[in-house]
Amino acid sequence: MYRRILALILSLALLMPGLALAESLPYVEDCALLPGQSVELRYFLPASGRASLRLTTQGGADVAVILSERMLLGGLHVLTLDEQFFAEPLAEGAYRLILTYEGQTYTAVLTVGQTAQPPQTTPAAPAPTAMPAPTAAPAPAFADQSASITPAHLSSYHPQHTGCYWCTPMDITDEAAVWAMLTAPIQVVDVGQKEQVVLRAEPSDSSEGIGVVTGASQAVHVLETRSDGWSLVETYSSSFHDSKVKAWNAFVTGYIRTNKLKTYNVRTDYGMIIDKLTQSLYIFKDGKLFTTLAVSTGLYNERQPYNETRSGEFVIISRVGDFKSDNLVCGMGLRFNSGDLLHEVPHVKNADGTKNYKNCEPKLGSRASHGCVRVQRLKNADGINMTWVWNNIKVGTKLVIWEDFAGRQMEIPADETPLYYNPDGGSSYHSMANCKGVKDKYLPLTAFTYGELETGAFAKLTACAYCFPPRRRADIEEINRVHETQSPGLISLLLENKQ
């Protein structure tokens, strides 16, 4: 049976920044589930930690996992469930709710039935006074390395469906799953492509704004369509420097009027993925990975947190062409999120009118932009570059951006992976014997292996800017070390509060 939760509210009772939660023991409250109704399941954690919540019979037999183990913030949590949440109907009677927090268990009773009433028991400790709940969860302190990390990694809602950006693991090798995701319809906001709509903390126009969504091109994940004219959705907030709500790339869950949403059917010939972890653009064609290009996504700083490229699910909504950013010329711009465009790596004009790429091109493969996505201009091993993208990718093509959550890791190539170089004075190492960046007279290049890259003269070679061979082992290990505990694309709440 398709599981659904009619309403899901993750309320975290936090005190003012810098103050600790009042000391208290963890607890889960007794509650009752009546036929045709929902129930608020409340539990409290005194501090951030790993927690799970499951339902068993009184004899201890597992019935359902309500909340799989994950890192949660301290505070009061409220889940609103109904009968449809459970795979099989629950028989009348009493069940055990088991909260596991940092290796310790705490129990309560869920009673089910026509006349069910929760037993009158007292929680282990009183709940602290609830303060306004934050709606953008920060990056987890650490992540489950064995889990398949999805774009909705921070979500507390887990629908059972496929072909969805939010629910598809960020695994570029699973071509079937990726292609199903890249060709699935999306839900967008029915306003102009440079307009934004505010997501609300509650289903009311007067409620606090907790995020913004760009019209026409940015997708939202619809969690619930309510009878009061509102829908509960989740997305990454597309806050720019002039947005009404300053939630920089925050993953938010909020409310929007249902009549503002519409279905957009994307093209099914191509689809594109930008991965912040690898700083690569993956182009899929007819169900298969077609080619890969190097990119630079946004690099934020404390003064300009809005420089971080917004993650999420988008479509190419319009063709902008060349435009200027300060003294930089950005060629062949394709708009996908209001002020965020996909474009060629920028250049400046020399005095003689020629193009100079030397300042921006060496940064490809790392964060460097003001929020747009810079794409390599030099043809890769497949003869593809941003000019090809401009000529072949049409309006309506889906473009998704994967967040580099803590726990994601880059694979280190096998030692026997072939690499190539020019022994006659070449300064670069390459991924192919006939790299287009090398003069014909030096082709084919001489082979060596990835395992030899740190030895002898190979250790002085730099990666080719055309064919973008694998990063050096030390560079990959450093990226992986950072991502063991950090999500670089998620701006810290501390940084947000300083603005």
Side-chain angles (χ1 to χ4, degrees):
M1 177 186 297
Y2 175 77
R3 297 185 179 182
R4 62 188 179 87
I5 303 176
L6 291 178
L8 172 62
I9 306 171
L10 179 59
S11 298
L12 307 173
L14 300 177
L15 300 178
M16 297 301 291
L19 298 179
L21 287 164
E23 290 188 4
S24 181
L25 294 175
Y27 69 81
V28 56
E29 292 184 358
D30 297 334
C31 54
L33 180 59
L34 302 178
Q37 298 186 20
S38 60
V39 59
E40 284 193 349
L41 194 164
R42 300 162 64 88
Y43 62 99
F44 173 71
L45 308 178
S48 297
R50 294 194 73 84
S52 65
L53 188 60
R54 59 194 178 94
L55 187 70
T56 73
T57 65
Q58 289 293 330
D62 286 334
V63 175
V65 175
I66 296 175
L67 191 72
S68 58
E69 184 180 356
R70 68 196 64 191
M71 191 72 179
L72 294 175
L73 294 181
L76 179 66
H77 299 248
V78 182
L79 292 174
T80 304
L81 311 177
D82 72 353
E83 297 164 319
Q84 301 301 316
F85 174 76
F86 303 100
E88 300 293 339
L90 296 179
E92 288 194 13
Y95 296 81
R96 296 176 68 201
L97 288 163
I98 300 179
L99 170 67
T100 301
Y101 169 73
E102 292 297 315
Q104 301 296 314
T105 59
Y106 307 85
T107 63
V109 176
L110 170 67
T111 51
V112 177
Q114 184 66 44
T115 60
Q117 294 295 328
Q120 300 300 311
T121 59
T122 302
T129 302
M131 300 297 288
T135 50
F142 57 93
D144 184 355
Q145 298 287 342
S146 65
S148 296
I149 300 178
T150 70
H153 183 52
L154 298 181
S155 178
S156 294
Y157 181 88
H158 302 282
Q160 304 296 311
H161 58 247
T162 58
C164 168
Y165 162 77
W166 306 96
C167 306
T168 301
M170 293 182 279
D171 178 5
I172 202 68
T173 65
D174 190 346
E175 291 183 327
V178 167
W179 186 245
M181 175 269 293
L182 286 174
T183 54
I186 60 176
Q187 295 293 313
V188 300
V189 182
D190 193 12
V191 297
Q193 63 184 256
K194 298 183 74 173
E195 296 180 59
Q196 291 192 318
V197 173
V198 176
L199 292 183
R200 303 291 176 179
E202 300 294 339
S204 168
D205 290 320
S206 61
S207 179
E208 175 192 7
I210 52 90
V212 290
V213 182
T214 301
S217 64
Q218 182 182 4
V220 297
H221 190 198
V222 179
L223 306 178
E224 177 195 359
T225 302
R226 297 160 52 97
S227 60
D228 60 2
W230 290 83
S231 288
L232 180 67
V233 303
E234 59 188 7
T235 193
Y236 298 88
S237 177
S238 284
S239 294
F240 297 94
H241 72 280
D242 56 351
S243 297
K244 294 180 180 179
V245 180
K246 312 302 183 184
W248 321 117
N249 192 43
F251 184 85
V252 294
T253 303
Y255 293 90
I256 188 172
R257 287 198 174 274
T258 303
N259 61 11
K260 289 186 177 293
L261 299 176
K262 71 172 184 179
T263 299
Y264 190 111
N265 293 309
V266 302
R267 295 181 64 92
T268 56
D269 48 356
Y270 289 100
M272 298 187 292
I273 296 171
I274 293 165
D275 191 348
K276 290 183 182 179
L277 177 67
T278 63
Q279 289 292 303
S280 297
L281 166 62
Y282 301 97
I283 302 176
F284 277 70
K285 178 182 180 182
D286 297 331
K288 298 292 183 182
L289 178 59
F290 175 62
T291 197
T292 303
L293 296 170
V295 302
S296 286
T297 62
L299 175 63
Y300 76 86
N301 55 56
E302 186 170 332
R303 187 172 61 86
Q304 298 171 308
Y306 43 79
N307 282 356
E308 178 65 31
T309 303
R310 274 56 52 170
S311 294
E313 186 178 28
F314 306 91
V315 292
I316 300 299
I317 198 64
S318 61
R319 297 169 64 83
V320 176
D322 295 359
F323 64 97
K324 294 196 69 174
S325 176
D326 298 326
N327 67 326
L328 298 176
V329 180
C330 306
M332 298 171 280
L334 298 171
R335 187 186 310 281
F336 66 88
N337 184 16
S338 186
D340 284 345
L341 285 77
L342 192 75
H343 60 76
E344 184 181 68
V345 61
H347 66 271
V348 296
K349 287 291 185 69
N350 293 323
D352 61 0
T354 57
K355 298 177 180 180
N356 186 334
Y357 294 89
K358 68 179 182 180
N359 288 330
C360 296
E361 202 155 52
K363 299 176 183 176
L364 285 171
S366 64
R367 283 176 161 87
S369 81
H370 296 153
C372 289
V373 179
R374 302 172 176 178
V375 183
Q376 73 177 80
R377 70 177 178 97
L378 303 174
K379 291 182 178 180
N380 68 4
D382 300 315
I384 307 299
N385 58 1
M386 183 59 206
T387 299
W388 182 96
V389 173
W390 173 258
N391 290 333
N392 290 273
I393 298 299
K394 307 302 181 184
V395 169
T397 301
K398 186 182 288 191
L399 168 68
V400 305
I401 300 177
W402 282 349
E403 188 58 63
D404 50 344
F405 285 119
R408 297 194 62 204
Q409 299 281 279
M410 289 181 62
E411 184 177 357
I412 296 176
D415 283 346
E416 59 270 21
T417 300
L419 298 175
Y420 302 88
Y421 80 113
N422 172 17
D424 189 12
S427 61
S428 299
Y429 68 96
H430 306 261
S431 62
M432 58 182 304
N434 293 289
C435 177
K436 298 181 183 297
V438 179
K439 292 181 180 180
D440 289 346
K441 65 180 182 179
Y442 297 116
L443 301 178
L445 298 172
T446 300
F448 68 107
T449 68
Y450 187 80
E452 298 175 292
L453 186 56
E454 305 304 327
T455 66
F458 299 130
K460 298 180 180 179
L461 299 177
T462 59
C464 173
Y466 283 81
C467 59
F468 276 92
R471 292 174 170 86
R472 290 182 176 274
R473 180 183 297 271
D475 295 334
I476 297 176
E477 289 176 343
E478 175 59 18
I479 291 172
N480 289 342
R481 184 195 65 78
V482 169
H483 286 82
E484 287 177 358
T485 57
Q486 299 178 43
S487 300
L490 296 180
I491 315 303
S492 69
L493 294 177
L494 176 61
L495 181 57
E496 290 182 48
N497 290 333
K498 289 183 178 180
Q499 305 309 312

